[in-house]
Every structure is written in structure tokens, then in C-alpha cells.
Amino acid sequence: MPADANPSGDIFGGWVLSQMDIADGIHAGQRAQRRVATVAIEAMHFIKPVHVGGALCVYAAPERVGCTSMAIRLEAWALRRRLGDRVKVTEGIFTFVALDAEGRPAPIASDGQGEASQ
């Protein structure tokens, strides 16, 4: 939306980053089967601008899964004019830690084979 634009008329990188963090938090929470928190963002690359009026699509895939934390690779793609060309605009790796009810690191749910993913 226009309210999310920078002085150059493109969407603020911080807005794009927040959308990626929201999508990644959903993905990480589903994988961990519990509350998660973002603890690091590494290798963030803004490749092309996101234009006002486009649609942002965010895709997530596990990069590393440990006992209490996981790194998720994200890619954001923009649909120009909401239905035009699809272009990769941003990519990065977000690290999450799984948390217990008191906010302390907790084990990530098993992968269905009786052991935590490595």
C-alpha cells in the first residue's frame, strides 16, 4: 500500500522483512509444535524492489534443525501488478528458538520418527 512506501515509491525493506518474519514464524511454530522466537537473521539480501500494488509471496524451507533451534531459508517473490511477472525480491535465513511456557529454550517436536531432527 502507498503508506508502506519509502520516498522513492517502493515498499520499505523493513516492511518486507516483517512480512518474512511473520511467515517464517508460522512455519517454524508449526515445525516446532510450540511457541518460537526469532533470534537471528543472517544472509539477508534485498535483490529487487517491491512496488506499491504488487503482491508479496513468501516461501520457507528448513536449512538446519537442532534440538531447540532451527534456521529457515526464506525467499520473497513479488507478483508485479498482482498478476504480472513473478520476480524474486528478497532472500535470507532466519533462526528461531523453540520456547516453553516460561519463555526458556525447549525441545523441537520430533520429526515423526521418534527422534528430533538434526
Side-chain angles (χ1 to χ4, degrees):
M1 299 301 293
D4 300 313
N6 62 28
S8 297
D10 298 317
I11 299 300
F12 279 113
W15 182 89
V16 174
L17 185 89
S18 72
Q19 300 308 300
M20 293 174 76
D21 194 34
I22 290 166
D24 204 18
I26 293 167
H27 179 84
Q30 288 175 336
R31 173 62 183 86
Q33 291 296 293
R34 60 174 62 242
R35 181 178 160 212
V36 296
T38 308
V39 295
I41 299 173
E42 54 185 282
M44 193 69 191
H45 299 281
F46 292 94
I47 301 164
K48 295 187 184 238
V50 176
H51 304 304
V52 171
L56 188 68
C57 305
V58 180
Y59 302 93
E63 182 83 6
R64 298 179 302 276
V65 179
C67 294
T68 61
S69 66
M70 68 184 89
I72 311 285
R73 178 173 297 281
L74 287 170
E75 292 183 356
W77 293 71
L79 296 174
R80 301 294 191 208
R81 294 166 302 284
R82 287 176 282 163
L83 33 104
D85 296 334
R86 182 176 171 262
V87 296
K88 186 176 181 180
V89 294
T90 310
E91 64 183 6
I93 299 172
F94 288 52
T95 302
F96 286 83
V97 66
L99 302 172
D100 65 15
E102 288 76 41
R104 294 184 300 248
I108 292 172
S110 71
D111 62 4
Q113 300 176 9
E115 17 182 9
S117 299
Q118 297 299 321

